[in-house]
Amino acid sequence: MEILAFGVQADEQPLIEQAFRGREDVRCLDVFLNEDTAPIAAGHEIVSTSVNADLGADVLEILAAGGTRMVAQRSTGFNNIDLDTAGRLGMTIARVSYYSPYSVAEFAWTLAMAVNRRIVRASTRTRDFDFRLNGLMGRDMHGRTAGVLGTGKIGEAFARIAHGFGMRLLGWDVAENPACTALGMRYVAKEELLAESDLVTLHVPLMPQTRHLIDAAALKTMRDDAILLNSSRGGLVDTAALVTELRAGRFTGVGLDVYEAEAGLFFLDKSLEAIADDTLARLVTFPNVLVTSHQAYYTEDAVGQIVDATVRNVLDYREGRRSENVLVPRS
């Protein structure tokens, strides 16, 4: 039986095909799963989806009606999946619970240094043979304070890099990570972390209780010259409120690899279209803001681990096994 993989990037396809070779037949599609594309899956017992797939109730109903019984999502986050509907339909849902935390942590630091040292602006200037330094002054990270919201594997990896820079570490999470406290991290209330940090980075999952974790009030608590990074999920930040603060001239830099309304935009070429999202259109005009297209995880190491875990999830489903990756078990 052929597996249908939605939302496969060109760099990702050979890794998927190689991983499944000799085990399962797989067909890769570059289209993303949503209500319009779900009928393509008719006749496929197993589908694999990307992080921006729409796996709401309506899409799951279409998949189930077409014979799909298992969805293997190639990501850790699962806020896009209606798990209750999947359970009611008797579908098995699996995700990738772990992959290289260094991919995301290193990329978050790339964003931090790019906005701090004005790398994009400097590169644009030198392409025009403008070698002036006006407006390019950054700051040393050494001796400053990094606030890490979410100190799991990725937050810990980020904190280790910050420690290497010689930064003071503040953390916020539901539970303390001993590896972070060993680095000298002090756990504090969110408000204290925001008020004291020169750099704030988000590494928490998107859940109802964390949606707009950084809202208008939180943004006002932050220092005017702070750097804000989000390489986790777009819904953690109230983007409209962020635009309001940016218009007031606040923040040294903002680095966003995710956006709360990215579905239908990120991973696609929209360069010849008018962007109807006024908030995003305004956001990318600020000279101190750098927006990338949800690529923090996109390294050979991380994608390889994601693909390998997806293969294991499919094989576990075939053999009736259940692992920690299963969100909704086989009924």
Side-chain angles (χ1 to χ4, degrees), residues 259-302:
Y259 173 60
E260 58 182 325
E262 69 182 54
L265 289 173
F266 282 22
F267 305 139
L268 300 171
D269 182 1
K270 297 289 184 178
S271 60
L272 299 179
E273 301 177 26
I275 298 299
D277 188 327
D278 291 339
T279 302
L280 178 60
R282 185 72 181 92
L283 187 65
V284 298
T285 65
F286 292 102
N288 57 334
V289 174
L290 178 56
V291 178
T292 52
S293 53
H294 206 142
Q295 69 183 81
Y297 77 99
Y298 206 53
T299 67
E300 292 180 5
D301 310 81

Side-chain angles (χ1 to χ4, degrees), residues 101-117 119 139-148 154-169 198-201 203 227 229-231 255 257 290 296:
Y102 309 109
S103 60
V104 179
E106 290 173 4
F107 192 85
W109 265 106
T110 301
L111 290 176
M113 299 311 295
V115 297
N116 177 41
R117 302 305 300 269
I119 299 299
R139 298 180 297 177
D140 290 358
M141 289 291 101
H142 180 85
R144 287 187 161 82
T145 300
V148 184
I154 297 174
E156 177 189 331
F158 186 95
R160 289 187 182 280
I161 298 171
H163 183 261
F165 272 95
M167 299 188 76
R168 173 181 175 236
L169 298 174
D198 299 288
L199 180 156
V200 174
T201 185
H203 300 292
I227 291 172
L229 308 172
N230 186 10
S231 56
D257 185 51
L290 178 56

Side-chain angles (χ1 to χ4, degrees), residues 39-113:
I40 301 173
H44 292 83
E45 181 182 356
I46 301 174
V47 300
S48 178
T49 59
S50 60
V51 64
N52 272 352
D54 176 358
L55 286 164
D58 292 342
V59 173
L60 290 173
E61 293 277 4
I62 296 171
L63 292 177
T68 297
R69 293 293 174 262
M70 194 263 184
V71 176
Q73 176 142 297
R74 303 186 307 278
S75 73
T76 298
F78 54 92
N79 54 284
N80 60 319
I81 307 174
D82 188 328
L83 299 180
D84 291 335
T85 297
R88 175 175 59 80
L89 294 171
M91 301 177 73
T92 298
I93 307 293
R95 61 157 179 167
V96 177
S97 59
Y98 174 84
Y99 60 86
S100 168
Y102 309 109
S103 60
V104 179
E106 290 173 4
F107 192 85
W109 265 106
T110 301
L111 290 176
M113 299 311 295

Side-chain angles (χ1 to χ4, degrees), residues 112 115-116 118 121 137 139 193-195 197-200 214-229 237-256 283 286-290:
V115 297
N116 177 41
R118 315 291 197 265
R121 183 185 296 183
M137 184 175 288
R139 298 180 297 177
L193 182 150
L194 296 175
S197 296
D198 299 288
L199 180 156
V200 174
I214 303 299
D215 57 10
L219 290 165
K220 290 186 182 300
T221 303
M222 293 175 62
R223 295 181 175 183
D224 288 345
D225 61 353
I227 291 172
L228 173 64
L229 308 172
V237 176
D238 183 340
T239 316
L242 176 60
V243 168
T244 297
E245 296 304 311
L246 288 165
R247 290 181 63 187
R250 300 190 64 220
F251 306 133
T252 288
V254 174
L256 304 175
L283 187 65
F286 292 102
N288 57 334
V289 174
L290 178 56

